[in-house]
Amino acid sequence: MRLITVFLALLLAAAASPARAQPALLDENTDLVRLTPHLVYAVDPDGRADAAAMFARAGRGEFEPLPDGSSTFGFTGGAYWFHAELFNSHASLQRWLLVLHYPLLDNVDLYLRYPNGRVEHMASGDSLPFSARSIRYRHPNFWLDLPQRSRVEVMVRVSSRSSLQVPLVLYTPTAFAEMERDSQFGIGLFYGILVALFFYNLVLWLSLRDASHFWYMFHVAGFGLVMLCLNGLSFEYLWPNSPWLANHSIPLSMAISQVAMHQFCRVFLELRDRLPWANRASLAIIAFYVLMGLGSLVLEYRTVVLPMTLAVFPGAMFILVLTFISIRRGYAPAKIFLMAWGSLLLGTALYASVSFGLLQKGFFTEYGIQIGSALEMILLSFALAYRYARLRSENETLVREHNEQLERHVARRTSELSTALEQLAEANQRLRESNRRDALTGLFNRRHFRDVFEHQMHHAAEHRQALGVLLIDLDHFKRVNDTYGHLAGDECLRWLGRCLGDTLSVHGAVTARFGGEEFVAVIPDMQGDRLLHLAEQLRVRICSEPVRYAGSNIGISASIGAFVLHPGTGIGVDEALHRADDALYAAKDRGRNCVHAAEDVTT
């Protein structure tokens, strides 16, 4: 009867304050309590409020119910405070374990306020060493001492650069042990599958030397690493005393996993031969994740993680589209690849949706990525076996047909050999010339320019002559492309190439297209004011005459950086180009359409 009276009093107290959730009642029939329905929250945008102030706000009813009853807030700033009241009516149990079932939070502070006003504080999160946790467990956790028949206030402060998820669950020791037993079984099964598939394909790769098996191992290892980090197991077992690694390993492992996934897709779907445009796009995606992985070592966490997480969906859809295209073009192994990829895509989508607050945390959203990825790895192993058998059959057929054709055409090929050799010599000569030239402007390309530049440097050193170096860059070239189109931009580049030849060739200059809208020239026996005068003459010529294309007059200008390479200074090709490039950027900083000289041009 007394218990009913106390419980009614708690309900009346909760009803009297509309900003307070119903207290969580703990009794003999309770093994675990999910605190989400009992939480109210407040946002501290600056993250400077203390527990006393927030307890006072909660007492005044200034906290709000969770939005839509969800404890997932996505990527957000500031600190979030969560308040709940616990009433322990259990006859014998006072020690409960509070677990926050999300391992990627930076700072988690717990405050318990007892009826006598005493406040107890505990801290966790991956900004602290793993030993700071109440028990060795991959999720932040706290032991709570809850006196019998007493109301205890719980205040939890959370701040993190990752997705903010606060699924708080209160366990009895027995209930936690049973929950963790089942969880460890599932995790062990998942990683057991990954390890078995890794070593199985390692043996195949060592035997067959097929690149697809190597990249499959890379994919398995990368995905296993990212799951270790997302599950909090890497912090628990690999670097428990390094919060820095615990935070930076997440974006780095994400980058490694995505690079491995897209590289395996390139090799398995044979994009280089079957879909060259898709191969280039895939390489661009890989380059993006490589840069993000390197940037994760120096950039702020959210600056790297957020774009990588956002890029997962378009990257996944890109692979899905490529798989459909490969199937339509008759590539049979892509059918199994599609089933494997669909499993992983569904699991990844469920997990990422929770990170952005689109779905609530549950069994399938939390473990869907493990289930989907395990199916994907198994199906991909089958796909590799099918692909290898198919390639072997195709190779045997090709070898047989080739031998038959060789026998039929050996006589004809012998008679044509001399003609072919002559044609090959001519083609090689044309090829050597084309390899030296930029296809658009007809100027030397960057690779051949370096060879000529080194030869010029040796010649200048022998004759004690200076070399003038000019770097020319069209101003606002992107605006030309955006306004008139890329074909007009190409005409501007061709016109600039002709302008360089007309102006500089009389001085014995070697000119080349350095890259994009950037050109370079090396002028022998040229220094000081003569070089600056020639550069200014070139600049005036560029901006004085518009480029005519499709009835439009396109006005262009250029910024020019000048540097003189004096004999005996010991400066190499790269350093000379670097100094000219610095001068070029100084010209752009001065407002563009001007000539800027390196400091030692006139010396």
Side-chain angles (χ1 to χ4, degrees), residues 1-17 20-23 25 85 87 149 151:
M1 195 62 189
R2 181 181 176 184
L3 178 60
I4 295 176
T5 303
V6 172
F7 184 63
L8 291 175
L10 288 173
L11 290 178
L12 291 174
S17 178
R20 292 187 180 183
Q22 180 181 354
L25 181 63
E85 294 182 350
F87 186 82
R149 303 190 183 282
R151 178 187 297 188

Side-chain angles (χ1 to χ4, degrees), residues 197-276:
L197 291 174
F198 178 87
F199 283 103
Y200 170 70
N201 282 272
L202 174 62
V203 172
L204 290 178
W205 176 66
L206 293 174
S207 302
L208 304 175
R209 295 296 178 180
D210 184 359
S212 59
H213 288 284
F214 174 82
W215 293 116
Y216 175 81
M217 291 188 304
F218 188 23
H219 177 40
V220 171
F223 203 88
L225 179 60
V226 77
M227 291 310 303
L228 277 173
C229 295
L230 294 178
N231 290 334
L233 294 171
S234 61
F235 191 26
E236 181 176 359
Y237 293 107
L238 300 182
W239 36 76
N241 297 318
S242 178
W244 186 90
L245 271 176
N247 281 279
H248 287 78
S249 63
I250 296 169
L252 185 59
S253 65
M254 289 176 62
I256 293 173
S257 173
Q258 292 298 311
V259 168
M261 183 171 65
H262 284 278
Q263 177 62 19
F264 176 74
C265 172
R266 284 185 62 244
V267 174
F268 185 87
L269 295 180
E270 301 174 359
L271 296 184
R272 185 173 62 181
D273 299 324
R274 297 177 179 274
L275 296 169

Side-chain angles (χ1 to χ4, degrees), residues 66-93:
L66 296 181
D68 299 324
S70 172
S71 59
T72 300
F73 295 86
F75 290 90
T76 183
Y80 278 62
W81 292 78
F82 300 88
H83 180 266
E85 294 182 350
L86 309 178
F87 186 82
N88 183 16
S89 63
H90 200 288
S92 59
L93 186 62

Side-chain angles (χ1 to χ4, degrees), residues 264-566:
F264 176 74
C265 172
R266 284 185 62 244
V267 174
F268 185 87
L269 295 180
E270 301 174 359
L271 296 184
R272 185 173 62 181
D273 299 324
R274 297 177 179 274
L275 296 169
W277 66 268
N279 182 62
R280 292 189 293 270
S282 185
L283 288 173
I285 295 173
I286 291 172
F288 164 78
Y289 281 109
V290 169
L291 291 176
M292 287 292 101
L294 296 175
S296 67
L297 300 176
V298 294
L299 297 178
E300 199 270 338
Y301 179 91
R302 191 173 296 176
T303 303
V304 178
V305 169
L306 190 55
M308 279 202 295
T309 307
L310 290 172
V312 168
F313 285 102
M317 296 307 299
F318 173 71
I319 294 179
L320 196 62
V321 170
L322 295 184
T323 307
F324 278 114
I325 294 175
S326 299
I327 293 174
R328 287 178 60 87
R329 294 192 176 188
Y331 186 54
K335 296 178 181 179
I336 305 179
F337 186 88
L338 176 62
M339 292 188 291
W341 186 244
S343 301
L344 179 62
L345 181 60
L346 179 60
T348 304
L350 290 173
Y351 185 86
S353 297
V354 174
S355 297
F356 286 99
L358 302 177
L359 296 176
Q360 293 188 8
K361 197 177 186 69
F363 176 80
F364 287 105
T365 55
E366 183 175 4
Y367 296 105
I369 191 170
Q370 286 95 327
I371 298 172
S373 60
L375 289 174
E376 185 233 13
M377 301 297 177
I378 295 172
L379 290 172
L380 285 182
S381 186
F382 292 154
L384 282 173
Y386 178 74
R387 176 178 176 272
Y388 175 74
R390 183 174 180 270
L391 288 175
R392 185 176 61 182
S393 176
E394 290 178 352
N395 286 337
E396 291 175 353
T397 302
L398 288 174
V399 169
R400 184 174 60 254
E401 292 177 353
H402 176 74
N403 289 335
E404 293 174 354
Q405 291 176 0
L406 184 62
E407 293 173 358
R408 290 194 302 267
H409 299 295
V410 63
R412 181 176 58 84
R413 290 186 180 276
T414 302
S415 64
E416 295 173 351
L417 180 59
S418 58
T419 303
L421 289 175
E422 294 175 0
Q423 293 174 348
L424 180 61
E426 295 175 358
N428 285 336
Q429 181 62 32
R430 291 194 299 269
L431 181 60
R432 282 194 296 270
E433 183 64 23
S434 65
N435 284 338
R436 298 169 55 191
R437 300 286 178 177
D438 173 62
L440 181 63
T441 63
L443 301 179
F444 288 135
N445 57 31
R446 182 171 183 168
R447 181 176 61 182
H448 183 67
F449 170 75
R450 287 184 63 90
D451 297 336
V452 176
F453 193 3
E454 290 180 352
H455 177 74
Q456 291 274 28
M457 288 178 60
H458 292 308
H459 183 271
E462 292 176 359
H463 294 81
R464 306 297 296 173
Q465 295 178 343
L467 285 177
V469 182
L470 298 179
L471 269 178
I472 306 101
D473 189 85
L474 284 179
D475 298 327
H476 305 295
F477 185 66
K478 183 177 183 301
R479 187 184 304 169
V480 173
N481 282 332
D482 294 342
T483 304
Y484 300 98
H486 289 277
L487 294 179
D490 291 345
E491 181 58 28
C492 291
L493 295 176
R494 283 191 290 267
W495 186 88
L496 179 56
R498 294 193 296 271
C499 189
L500 291 176
D502 295 343
T503 306
L504 302 180
S505 60
V506 295
H507 299 279
V510 177
T511 56
R513 184 181 179 188
F514 202 62
E517 65 271 23
E518 196 171 45
F519 294 75
V520 64
V522 173
I523 307 124
D525 195 18
M526 180 68 64
Q527 59 179 319
D529 294 334
R530 290 178 58 212
L531 178 63
L532 296 179
H533 177 73
L534 182 60
E536 181 63 24
Q537 180 181 352
L538 175 62
R539 184 195 66 80
V540 172
R541 169 71 190 282
I542 292 171
C543 65
S544 62
E545 182 179 347
V547 178
R548 295 174 176 83
Y549 177 79
S552 299
N553 292 329
I554 306 172
I556 62 174
S557 65
S559 301
I560 303 176
F563 172 69
V564 174
L565 179 61
H566 297 284

